């Protein structure tokens, strides 16, 4: 909020940063009511580039899963005289950047900057990156397109089902994976073949012809392209008793 001098204006605002868009709305402070009244004025202003500016090269990145850090290459073109360090800065999940050149820095160096989006960055679909410099204070434009960071699902917590007799089936229900929007079933802890027979939604019903033993199934939580580690679930199958003789 900028408080101008009393009177009808104009109000002079200082300290604006080059190549930055500002938005203004005028309010009138009325006394003795002591309330702010909206005078209906909405204005925007984009300041001139000035002699020093940074052009961030347009680029598309992602989508990424947030379980691990992600490296990106950020290219830029500086114009003017800079004595500070060039830095890659990331916005929040809706595209808002900090008002300084020190927060949310994910990489520094010469062109191109190798930047790292940290693991467990909040999920969102509106991230952007830009290049900034503190000396003189300069904010480059952003990369020009949104970056999606998807919440990675955690390992499911499904427990082993109750012991079954041969000739019957067990129900295995995918559950407990935070961020998962669905579950799949597999025959190996990694790789292997997805099991689709007997699957309805998040439930796998085992076949009735399982042999006596302890076959394993592996459950994977999924959220779009992001996959959890698989949880092993063991089904214990015991022999059915025979009909008593005599």
């Amino acid at each position: 909020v900028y408080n101008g001098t009393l009177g009808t204006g104009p109000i002079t605002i200082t300290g604006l940063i080059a190549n930055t868009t500002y938005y203004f709305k005028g309010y009138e402070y009325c006394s003795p009511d002591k309330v702010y009244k909206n005078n209906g004025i909405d204005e925007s202003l984009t300041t001139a580039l000035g002699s020093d500016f940074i052009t961030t090269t347009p680029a598309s990145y992602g989508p990424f899963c947030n379980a691990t850090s992600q490296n990106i290459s950020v290219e830029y073109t500086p114009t003017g005289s800079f004595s500070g360090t060039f830095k890659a800065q990331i916005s929040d999940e809706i595209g808002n950047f900090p008002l300084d050149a020190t927060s949310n820095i994910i990489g520094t160096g010469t062109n191109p900057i190798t930047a790292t989006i940290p693991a467990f960055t909040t999920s969102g679909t509106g991230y952007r990156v830009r290049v900034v410099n503190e000396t003189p204070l300069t904010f480059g434009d952003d990369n020009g397109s949104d970056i999606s960071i998807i919440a990675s699902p955690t390992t499911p917590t499904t427990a082993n089902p109750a012991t079954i007799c041969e000739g019957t089936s067990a129900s295995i229900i995918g559950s407990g994976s935070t961020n998962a929007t669905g579950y799949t079933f597999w025959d190996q802890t990694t790789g292997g073949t997805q099991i689709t027979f007997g699957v309805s939604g998040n439930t796998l019903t085992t076949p009735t012809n399982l042999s006596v033993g302890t076959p394993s199934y592996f459950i994977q939580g999924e959220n779009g392209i992001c996959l959890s580690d698989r949880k092993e679930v063991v089904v214990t199958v015991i022999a059915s008793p025979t009909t008593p003789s005599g």
Side-chain angles (χ1 to χ4, degrees), residues 42-234:
D42 289 287
E43 299 288 346
S44 65
L45 168 68
T46 300
T47 53
L49 285 174
S51 58
D52 301 303
F53 59 93
I54 303 169
T55 302
T56 303
T57 303
S60 297
Y61 307 103
F64 298 124
C65 302
N66 72 351
T68 57
S69 60
Q70 305 290 338
N71 291 331
I72 61 174
S73 180
V74 184
E75 297 184 12
Y76 64 95
T77 302
T79 299
S81 179
F82 296 90
S83 59
T85 300
F86 291 99
K87 310 173 186 179
Q89 184 180 61
I90 192 167
S91 71
D92 63 15
E93 65 272 20
I94 58 174
N96 294 323
F97 285 96
L99 299 178
D100 57 61
T102 57
S103 303
N104 293 10
I105 301 302
I106 58 173
T108 62
T110 57
N111 186 36
I113 297 173
T114 298
T116 302
I117 300 175
F120 305 111
T121 294
T122 301
S123 61
T125 58
Y127 284 96
R128 297 209 174 189
V129 293
R130 67 181 181 183
V131 175
V132 301
N133 197 300
E134 285 187 90
T135 312
L137 183 60
T138 306
F139 302 110
D141 46 6
D142 64 46
N143 63 292
S145 60
D146 292 336
I147 305 168
S148 292
I149 298 178
I150 303 170
S152 297
T154 59
T155 304
T157 59
T158 300
N160 294 336
T163 298
I164 62 172
C165 295
E166 60 180 328
T168 62
S169 61
S171 292
I172 303 172
I173 302 174
S175 62
S177 176
T178 303
N179 302 320
T181 57
Y183 296 84
T184 52
F185 301 86
W186 299 79
D187 63 356
Q188 300 289 334
T189 185
T190 59
T193 301
Q194 182 178 348
I195 299 169
T196 57
F197 181 81
V199 175
S200 177
N202 295 332
T203 301
L204 165 65
T205 301
T206 64
T208 57
N209 62 349
L210 292 178
S211 300
V212 172
T214 54
S216 291
Y217 296 84
F218 300 86
I219 307 175
Q220 178 174 275
E222 302 189 0
N223 182 15
I225 63 170
C226 302
L227 312 175
S228 75
D229 291 335
R230 296 176 188 171
K231 169 68 186 305
E232 181 180 15
V233 174
V234 178

